[in-house]
Amino acid sequence: MLSAPKGTHDLLPEALATWQYFENTARSIMERANFHEIRTPLFEATSLFERGVGDTTDIVNKEMYTFEKGDRQLTLRPENTAGVVRAYIQHGMDRCPKPVKLYYLGPMFRYERPQAGRQRQFHQAGVELFGLDTPQSDASVILLAWDLFTTLGIPDLALEINNVGCFDCRDDFKNQLRAILLPFKDSLCEDCQKRYETNPLRMLDCKSEKCKAIYASEAVANFLEADHTCEACQQHFNALLIILTQCNIQFHHNKMLVRGLDYYTRTVFEITSTHLGAQNAVCGGGRYNGLVKTLGGPDTPAVGWALGVERLISLIPPQHPASLDFYIASDDPGSALLLAQQIQHQGFSVEVDLSGKNLGKQLTQANKLQAGQVIILGETERQQNQITLKDMAKGLQETVDKDSFLTSLKRPPVSSVLR
Ligand code: ATP
Ligand code: MG
């Protein structure tokens, strides 16, 4: 038997009720904050991720699905910031009024060991805000994520935040960190020995117990306790923390938080849940002032985040698929289909018999489908331009004029409910 590839999951209708609830809520919250959706290809040139995510990251080194077609090297997107930045540059969006505020929803692909909270195809929702370098723009995207989580009723979330400095001050910091860690270098894990050379900040993100103990030791902890970023970075970060406090958002300044990607500058943050076990991060993001220029665009500051949809959805109470509003039982398929369409246009769900069952069996089918009401459209009703309405729960039945029934149906279309 064929089954879905390892690390991927089918999403069946039962589960999708919760997904749709999440997606509708996310879209409506992002649109109301004046973010607009962008959809970029699921695959891009491999070089985009090598340059945009960074070739010292786990994503680029170990996790990419890369393939060749013709003379092109392509990669299934492992994340979407690089793709959005590529599109921002390609379509000259820097000419739009600033800030440019974009969001996306969709699948990402990473070749990782599948486990709880980790798939090879998973989904992210994310926002990117281009063109501003202010602490208030950092605050606005964090607030947006927080608003989404609060609206979805997600309990026990924590916001961890840190300032990793800018391109001016970070090299100094990296060198000082190397100096502090030099005596421990040989005891670090193999990955951290490499990171020591290529990207020492990411050592602080190491999951190995041996390394964690070293980074928590007195000398290193004391060093990290002090702020090693420049005056401008410190001012930016302090202003951000003041705004978050004003907006009643609790945060923990975690000086070990660095995040995996190279392009972050100044603000980095992560939102974690105590209900997720080892893979506890729901959302990660930060400021990435260097990326647009790195990918060949004009020097443009930017800030954003991405959340893991599967992890988030596991924290939402399961939603149930919408129930069926009407079942039309009729001995005349054409009239039934036409009436079904008219009722659907009023915003209700309708099922009709498509298999040629007799009226009695159609009523049994309506019961099985748990239709809220059955519309009987028999020969007598058709001749009088009437319908018989049967409320299945109450067992009540009445015959009414068909046109008056249609005009009395008033549910706003689904799209306006969402906005
Ligand atoms: P982690 O520390 O969990 O590996 P990450 O730093 O690789 O996360 P990001 O690249 O920041 O993750 O992606 C943002 C979010 O996407 C994560 O917080 C997580 O919720 C989700 N995510 C990342 N990788 C996976 C995966 N393989 N399967 C499911 N969700 C994932
Ligand atoms: Mg990861």
Side-chain angles (χ1 to χ4, degrees):
M1 197 180 61
L2 291 174
S3 42
K6 192 174 170 196
T8 70
H9 294 282
D10 295 313
L11 292 167
L12 304 182
E14 200 64 38
L16 280 169
T18 312
W19 278 71
Q20 287 167 356
Y21 165 64
F22 159 74
E23 286 166 2
N24 293 340
T25 309
R27 274 179 205 289
S28 111
I29 283 184
M30 300 203 240
E31 296 273 350
R32 282 187 233 163
N34 204 29
F35 281 79
H36 298 293
E37 187 176 6
I38 181 164
R39 299 190 193 188
T40 58
L42 297 195
F43 59 86
E44 298 268 359
T46 305
S47 56
L48 172 68
F49 302 114
E50 286 167 351
R51 285 164 64 190
V53 178
D55 49 17
T56 62
T57 59
D58 284 351
I59 291 184
V60 171
N61 280 326
K62 308 181 194 163
E63 299 174 0
M64 297 211 297
Y65 281 92
T66 295
F67 55 100
E68 226 171 77
K69 274 284 163 206
D71 56 356
R72 284 172 219 281
Q73 273 244 320
L74 301 163
T75 294
L76 296 183
R77 62 184 190 191
E79 57 91 62
N80 206 27
T81 300
V84 171
V85 170
R86 197 259 316 125
Y88 176 90
I89 299 168
Q90 182 176 340
H91 301 287
M93 286 190 234
D94 58 301
R95 293 190 297 270
C96 300
K98 304 279 187 320
V100 174
K101 294 162 65 172
L102 303 170
Y103 78 88
Y104 59 82
L105 286 163
M108 308 294 156
F109 308 86
R110 295 186 193 177
Y111 187 67
E112 300 194 76
R113 193 169 68 76
Q115 53 194 291
R118 234 186 243 307
Q119 293 88 245
R120 290 182 170 172
Q121 174 173 334
F122 64 101
H123 295 73
Q124 287 186 337
V127 302
E128 316 291 355
L129 182 155
F130 295 95
L132 289 181
D133 193 14
T134 57
Q136 47 272 46
S137 50
D138 296 11
S140 81
V141 298
I142 294 174
L143 225 65
L144 184 65
W146 206 258
D147 186 24
L148 174 58
F149 294 143
T150 312
T151 307
L152 292 169
I154 315 256
D156 305 322
L157 290 176
L159 168 64
E160 313 246 319
I161 191 164
N162 195 20
N163 168 19
V164 294
C166 61
F167 296 118
D168 292 336
C169 56
R170 201 153 60 195
D171 281 347
D172 265 359
F173 177 55
K174 285 183 184 174
N175 287 333
Q176 290 177 49
L177 187 62
R178 281 195 188 98
I180 288 284
L181 287 172
L182 186 60
F184 306 97
K185 196 176 163 200
D186 294 340
S187 321
L188 296 173
C189 75
E190 210 176 298
D191 278 344
C192 277
Q193 298 203 16
K194 279 192 212 132
R195 291 172 185 142
Y196 183 95
E197 307 298 340
T198 56
N199 192 353
L201 278 190
R202 285 192 45 244
M203 293 192 287
L204 304 178
D205 206 17
C206 184
K207 304 285 180 288
S208 119
E209 292 303 327
K210 201 169 60 171
C211 296
K212 279 204 267 190
I214 293 174
Y215 306 142
S217 67
E218 204 182 332
V220 186
N222 283 345
F223 166 76
L224 289 172
E225 202 42 46
D227 198 327
H228 300 277
T229 61
C230 65
E231 185 71 27
C233 285
Q234 288 181 30
Q235 274 176 10
H236 182 104
F237 192 60
N238 290 337
L240 167 61
L241 298 189
I242 288 170
I243 301 175
L244 291 179
T245 307
Q246 281 173 334
C247 296
N248 298 319
I249 301 209
Q250 291 193 355
F251 54 82
H252 168 231
H253 182 177
N254 176 358
K255 294 183 173 168
M256 300 288 281
L257 182 71
V258 288
R259 308 218 6 92
L261 312 182
D262 283 348
Y263 51 63
Y264 286 106
T265 50
R266 292 192 169 164
T267 312
V268 295
F269 59 89
E270 209 160 72
I271 297 174
T272 56
S273 160
T274 46
H275 301 277
L276 283 176
Q279 267 61 56
N280 66 350
V282 199
C283 177
R287 175 160 284 287
Y288 51 95
N289 286 355
L291 186 60
V292 183
K293 196 169 171 204
T294 301
L295 294 178
D299 204 354
T300 308
V303 60
W305 49 253
L307 66 82
V309 179
E310 280 82 357
R311 291 187 200 173
L312 182 62
I313 280 186
S314 71
L315 301 170
I316 304 178
Q319 308 290 305
H320 300 292
S323 52
L324 178 62
D325 295 319
F326 293 104
Y327 186 97
I328 302 176
S330 178
D331 53 0
D332 183 57
S335 309
L337 282 169
L338 185 64
L339 180 60
Q341 195 178 60
Q342 289 168 323
I343 299 173
Q344 285 158 6
H345 287 175
Q346 301 298 318
F348 292 83
S349 59
V350 187
E351 186 63 280
V352 295
D353 172 55
L354 302 174
S355 61
K357 287 188 189 66
N358 66 29
L359 266 180
K361 287 197 170 143
Q362 289 186 32
L363 291 176
T364 312
Q365 179 74 357
N367 243 329
K368 279 192 199 154
L369 297 177
Q370 299 182 325
Q373 301 199 59
V374 177
I375 295 172
I376 300 167
L377 187 59
E379 194 180 349
T380 331
E381 281 93 355
R382 286 202 304 282
Q383 276 166 4
Q384 311 283 328
N385 197 33
Q386 288 180 326
I387 56 165
T388 297
L389 263 179
K390 188 168 178 187
D391 189 308
M392 300 301 271
K394 297 184 194 141
L396 297 175
Q397 182 168 322
E398 57 172 340
T399 300
V400 296
D401 180 69
K402 191 174 81 182
D403 296 329
S404 327
F405 164 74
L406 280 172
T407 44
S408 73
L409 283 175
K410 273 195 212 88
R411 180 182 286 178
V414 176
S415 57
S416 71
V417 174
L418 300 179
R419 290 194 69 106

